[in-house]
Amino acid sequence: MADGVYWDREKETRSREAREAEVLANLQSQLRFVYDALPFYRSHYDAHGFHPDQVKSLDDFSKRVPIVTKPMLRDDQAAAPPFGRYLGCEAADIIRVHGSSGTSGKPTLYAFSRGDWDYIADVMAQGLYTCGVRPGDIVQLATVFSLFMGGWGSLLGVERLGATAFPLGAGETERQLDLMYRIGATVLITTPTYALHMLETARALGYDAAKSPLRLGIFIGEPGSSIPGTRQALEQGWGIKVRDMATTSEMTPWSTNAECEAAAGPHVMQDEVWTEIVAKDDSSRLLPDGESGAIVYTHLKRRSQPMIRFYAGDESHMVYEPCSCGRTYPRLPAGVYGRLDDMLLIRGANVYPSQVQRSLLEVPGTGVEFKIVLEKKGALDHATVLVERDPAATPADIDHFAADLRERVRHKLKNDTAVNFEVDILPPNTLERALSKAKRVDDRRPKYRPGGH
Amino acid sequence: MADGVYWDREKETRSREAREAEVLANLQSQLRFVYDALPFYRSHYDAHGFHPDQVKSLDDFSKRVPIVTKPMLRDDQAAAPPFGRYLGCEAADIIRVHGSSGTSGKPTLYAFSRGDWDYIADVMAQGLYTCGVRPGDIVQLATVFSLFMGGWGSLLGVERLGATAFPLGAGETERQLDLMYRIGATVLITTPTYALHMLETARALGYDAAKSPLRLGIFIGEPGSSIPGTRQALEQGWGIKVRDMATTSEMTPWSTNAECEAAAGPHVMQDEVWTEIVAKDDSSRLLPDGESGAIVYTHLKRRSQPMIRFYAGDESHMVYEPCSCGRTYPRLPAGVYGRLDDMLLIRGANVYPSQVQRSLLEVPGTGVEFKIVLEKKGALDHATVLVERDPAATPADIDHFAADLRERVRHKLKNDTAVNFEVDILPPNTLERALSKAKRVDDRRPKYRPGGH
């Protein structure tokens, strides 16, 4: 099926009109299915006075269909264990069970039917092919294989695509590196955080990282690789092309946002997962091209635990302007650049950790790891950034170097975020390295939750 | 294809003669293949004056074909990296790469062709079906998913068989238990060591383990589950049937030794991996039924990295007497009960750690974990067993209890192994728990290796 730059030329290059005619038909079919077969959706829709017959256009879909949120899924699984009233297949037809990280209590469980698991492999193959993986590549998967979805979808796609999968898991970085060079892995799939840590370790061990056998890095699980500074650090450090895959577990197949060789932000595979950018405070209001808002996703074909207008809590903007690769899919020019629930409110200012990361990477002399600590001093928020210095920097006068760096970081952050951060410069390798998603905020302020929630 | 107790009735119940006619044809075909296509085998065979034409019978095969050992594989991969001169397929046809644990240096790499990976799924499904897994089961895989083969083969088989796979990885025991009960997992696949640790944890947390949702436990990676004491602890503790799967990574598909509902030791699927029991000091001498010796394995169908007369370093005995299940495969009545290179020489006596485990499990009051420490005091070996006391035992006089238990353990070990062990009784949960293979020997004696190897 693969054809030069395309996994499926006809599908990827057809007109928007042709694609959206199919999308609408699939949306209508999904709505009928979930209303008829899934009590979770029927009661949700009945409560909102919505009926599938009301959707005659894509516009109707955005305006009329109520969104689904993570807490709704969690509550439904608690009320109807283990998979909730939105399973969509017979229990005997479930081929795999995985789960969320469940930081706020019990993990939400994900169940996949046999047919969907096979379908997911196809979509993942298209996504990885879009990112540039080819048969013959040796793909090192430095991703956790456990309850969490981690690299499971990537593994599936690599196998379907016809490349060689080398699923090592995350961790044991020295062994990762030894084997990468020994086997000659050509593609690395992991989080940007862990790829940066591997890079630090490689340099410390004396590898010439920029001449690694890798030619391509595909980064998942975190926004990092669409942040220019992080991307540059990874591309130059490893001597690779960097591609972003913007993912969220509930919406598996994970790779419906996958970046092509034009490197202009992930393409949105609108014929697999219909993706809308809506106003943060009104999920029925679609935003125009280029305007930043909340992402709402809909499974067009998946039948086990299908998500229809799932509000992922992610922020992005989308454009339909043509891409030089010839694909007619829209793009997320800056990737999925922040989780709305990661947004920090510091003395009234909105600050994203990813924004802090972007600023730090632009200050020469800083290393790749940082942590934001928030405290309350009296009535006021007090924000500190702990940031390591660049391990390559070996100044004669370390105290002077640190003081100077501290000042430059403080100035940069004030300029970019409008917040006065305290800055602590730490020695390299002081902060804990994350194997999966990095935890970069330590919010010690007393919790106040409106409505006691 | 599945039919009552059989995954493939015709195949599993045909006469020995019919099966062995096919086996011989496959052996001859494999020998021609490896001699013609794999330089590793050709030079090995030429050096021994062996030629495939010399094999006209199964007897010829045992008598004439030189064995292959782990060090030979390691040396060949070092000389012809990364996969050695026995790869057997084009690099582009490799679908997966895994590796050995590599305790003695660099891991040996395992490569699988696309066709073989698919074939392995079929054999694993037959093995797991033999053990009693059925479509509709929810199979919790508490096995490591990383470089090491761990649970990868089991995962493949569960999917092919049509059951639900729940691949959690090893570790995070409290979460394992929570999810096991929440999802209602019916089958557990892990090492016996980790299953015992899960049992201890479950009891400590107040679970009624004997009423777990599990109905079946399949134990891999270690000999434990064929040791009567361990089997009983697992069966009664979890309220399950226990099945042993005797495996070795090089010989993947892993499950060609799989135990049926008669629970009389794993069946040897002789039409997939031809398995011989030979004299420990003469691998060309086949042993009669029931006599204990070294296991030699041969891939009958696998073409990528095929092992032809691989000397695994494992010890067992095999019988062809009929099994009540109706399968005509022979059995390993006591499983694979020791690794020959695990055999300890203590003051001239041969002692297997598995034998020590068996003895300890028969002394009431001991827990499940132990460790053997060997030291040299002057010219003499000095052996100590560290053993935890049963966490359920809460005696009024702990010192008296420990002293009494120490004496009973010492007596039992002297009786069973002819070695005078020092015995140290430890509180529960003192020794480290292994997630994968348990390391139960700490040999601190100065190394003497004949030939300086």
Side-chain angles (χ1 to χ4, degrees), chain A residues 94-96 159 164-165 175, chain B residues 94-96 148 159 164-165:
Chain A
I94 300 173
I95 186 172
R96 289 289 280 269
E159 290 182 339
T164 301
R175 196 178 66 180
Chain B
I94 300 172
I95 187 173
R96 288 290 280 268
F148 312 136
E159 290 182 338
T164 300

Side-chain angles (χ1 to χ4, degrees), chain A residues 15 69 107 150 397 413 451:
Chain A
S15 72
T69 63
D397 183 343
L413 287 176

Side-chain angles (χ1 to χ4, degrees), chain A residues 195-375:
Chain A
L196 288 169
H197 174 56
M198 286 174 74
L199 185 59
E200 280 182 338
T201 307
R203 285 170 172 164
L205 293 172
Y207 285 95
D208 186 354
K211 292 197 177 134
S212 77
L214 297 176
R215 65 175 189 81
L216 183 66
I218 299 173
F219 298 105
I220 62 175
E222 293 176 334
S225 60
S226 278
I227 298 173
T230 307
R231 174 171 293 235
Q232 197 181 17
L234 289 168
E235 291 201 325
Q236 294 180 356
W238 281 118
I240 56 175
K241 304 279 186 194
V242 163
R243 300 287 176 261
D244 190 6
M245 230 181 212
T247 66
T248 188
S249 300
E250 287 84 356
M251 294 311 303
T252 302
W254 303 257
S255 75
T256 53
N257 301 341
E259 193 172 11
C260 72
E261 73 273 17
H267 277 287
V268 182
M269 289 155 64
Q270 287 285 45
D271 40 15
E272 303 299 342
V273 168
W274 180 244
T275 302
E276 307 161 72
I277 306 287
V278 301
K280 289 173 208 171
D281 54 358
D282 179 2
S283 58
S284 71
R285 186 160 68 82
L286 267 184
L287 295 183
D289 265 31
E291 206 166 298
S292 186
I295 308 184
V296 171
Y297 291 115
T298 296
H299 281 128
L300 289 170
K301 299 176 185 169
R302 191 173 142 186
R303 290 296 175 104
S304 51
Q305 294 195 335
M307 293 289 103
I308 310 296
R309 296 208 89 218
F310 178 70
Y311 184 92
D314 290 329
E315 186 177 6
S316 191
H317 66 277
M318 184 155 71
V319 297
Y320 273 86
E321 67 187 22
C323 180
S324 61
C325 76
R327 287 178 185 82
T328 53
Y329 293 128
R331 284 174 294 113
L332 308 174
V336 173
Y337 43 78
R339 288 194 45 74
L340 289 168
D341 50 12
D342 280 352
M343 193 182 72
L344 302 168
L345 196 65
I346 306 175
R347 293 200 186 186
N350 289 341
V351 177
Y352 285 106
S354 56
Q355 189 180 7
V356 172
Q357 179 174 38
R358 202 175 311 142
S359 301
L360 291 174
L361 283 160
E362 287 172 19
V363 181
T366 61
V368 298
E369 273 306 322
F370 71 98
K371 186 158 217 159
I372 299 168
V373 179
L374 300 174
E375 291 159 303

